[in-house]
């Protein structure tokens, strides 16, 4: 299968690199990472050590492939969708954080859009080198149209051919809301407190704050027609915090590096949907305001 991975950061490089063991993969990203991969290939270390040679470009205008996998930050989804709209794809799969990405993609591209989650741990060490920090799995399913199960199965089969454990579900909306509850809890709390995920394990003020954000998210999910219990959201946060105790969240890394975060598509999305549903989410609102305030104060809000 010909696969274009739009967003060659840590996760995109890892997923693209793993798929390149079996498929013809093109990574779309920024220099110097792209230039290094083009010249010397991509090195993967950690769970396994691999050297692969995917194609790598900085501009995907007019490209075509059987599948486009989108792994850009949520605030770059619109630009990615516009670029993909100039090409030709049989399917587009989002493996992004936050909510709303799939609808943006579906509004621009003419191909079926799939939604997905990936629990693989990845860290971009340096140009041309990504660390695989956790094996993980991929879960995907049809988004728009909602009956594209056959397309989802074909994509999952291609991922499995590359030894990437992948399952298909028709319940991706619930899966994305559960993932949103996890992200709304772990990302901003660890970013603001500058702690690893393990700081949210067990009793304590940070853990309580994170669980409160998750419960609020579950409340909004139910108002949106999704069956997500408070206890399920709390348990999901506790489980991920334990399993990734040594990791820093993506928002923590963004703040540490002085980069714009995905707060708008995470806690900001919860706040927006709560307002539409007439629900109160004071914890999510406060976390969103604090991160947005940091972004505005450091001048990164609105950056690419």
């Amino acid at each position: 299968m010909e696969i274009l991975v739009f967003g060659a950061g840590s996760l995109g490089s890892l997923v693209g690199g793993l798929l390149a063991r079996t498929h013809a993969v093109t990574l779309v990203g920024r220099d110097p990472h792209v230039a290094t991969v083009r010249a010397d290939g991509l090195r993967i270390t950690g769970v396994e050590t691999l050297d692969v040679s995917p194609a790598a470009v900085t501009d995907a205008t007019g490209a075509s492939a059987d599948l486009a996998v989108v792994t850009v930050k949520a605030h770059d989804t619109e630009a990615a969708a516009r670029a993909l709209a100039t090409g030709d794809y049989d399917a587009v799969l989002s493996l992004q954080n936050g909510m709303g990405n799939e609808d943006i993609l579906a509004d621009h591209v003419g191909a079926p859009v799939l939604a997905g989650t990936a629990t693989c741990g990845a860290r971009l060490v340096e140009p041309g080198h990504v660390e695989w920090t956790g094996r993980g799995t991929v879960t995907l399913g049809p988004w728009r149209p909602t009956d594209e199960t056959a397309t989802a199965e074909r994509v999952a089969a291609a991922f499995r051919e590359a030894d990437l454990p992948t399952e298909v579900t028709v319940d991706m909306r619930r899966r994305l809301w559960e993932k949103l509850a996890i992200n709304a809890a772990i990302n901003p709390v660890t970013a603001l407190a500058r702690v690893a995920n393990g700081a949210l394990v067990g009793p304590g003020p940070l853990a309580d704050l994170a669980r409160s954000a998750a419960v609020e998210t579950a409340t909004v999910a139910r108002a949106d027609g999704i069956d997500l219990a408070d206890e399920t959201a709390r348990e999901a946060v506790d489980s991920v915090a334990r399993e990734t105790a040594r990791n820093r969240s993506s928002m923590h890394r963004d703040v540490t590096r002085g980069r714009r975060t995905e707060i708008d598509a995470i806690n900001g999305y919860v706040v927006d949907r709560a307002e539409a549903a007439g629900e109160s989410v004071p914890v999510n609102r406060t976390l969103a305001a604090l991160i947005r305030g940091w972004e505005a104060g450091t001048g990164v809000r609105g950056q690419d």
Side-chain angles (χ1 to χ4, degrees), residues 3-19 67-74 77 80 84 91-103 105 113-120 122 136-141 143 152 155-156 159 164-167 169 172 175-176 179 183 250 262:
I3 301 173
L4 182 139
V5 179
F6 201 112
S10 53
L11 179 64
S13 295
L14 175 63
V15 170
L18 297 178
L19 291 172
L67 171 69
V69 180
V70 182
T71 50
V72 298
K73 294 283 191 180
T77 303
L84 291 171
V92 176
L93 165 65
S94 169
L95 290 180
Q96 301 167 266
N97 280 332
M99 295 282 276
N101 298 299
E102 295 80 9
D103 287 330
L105 292 169
V113 171
L114 310 175
T117 62
T119 60
C120 315
T137 60
V138 174
T139 303
L140 59 87
W143 187 265
V155 171
F159 277 41
L164 252 175
T166 304
E167 64 172 289
T169 179
M172 276 310 303
R175 299 287 186 105
L176 289 184
K179 180 183 176 182
N183 281 331
S250 59
E262 295 179 291

Side-chain angles (χ1 to χ4, degrees), residues 105-231:
L105 292 169
D107 286 344
H108 286 81
V109 302
V113 171
L114 310 175
T117 62
T119 60
C120 315
R123 182 175 73 93
L124 195 60
V125 179
E126 60 185 351
H129 178 193
V130 63
E131 182 182 10
W132 188 3
T133 60
R135 192 172 292 278
T137 60
V138 174
T139 303
L140 59 87
W143 187 265
R144 195 192 301 176
T146 58
D147 60 353
E148 284 287 342
T149 305
T151 300
E153 292 287 0
R154 285 196 299 272
V155 171
F159 277 41
R160 294 186 199 112
E161 285 177 33
D163 292 327
L164 252 175
T166 304
E167 64 172 289
V168 173
T169 179
V170 295
D171 195 22
M172 276 310 303
R173 280 167 174 76
R174 185 190 178 284
R175 299 287 186 105
L176 289 184
W177 270 103
E178 184 173 325
K179 180 183 176 182
L180 183 66
I182 295 167
N183 281 331
I186 293 177
N187 271 281
V189 174
T190 57
L192 290 165
R194 306 293 177 94
V195 294
N197 294 354
L200 307 186
V201 176
L206 293 181
D208 290 344
L209 183 63
R211 293 182 189 120
S212 295
V215 168
E216 287 183 356
T217 304
T219 299
V220 178
R222 292 194 296 273
D224 212 43
I226 302 299
D227 183 17
L228 180 59
D230 292 350
E231 188 58 28

Side-chain angles (χ1 to χ4, degrees), residues 229-242:
D230 292 350
E231 188 58 28
T232 300
R234 278 193 294 262
E235 290 176 355
V237 171
D238 290 344
S239 176
V240 171
R242 282 195 304 271

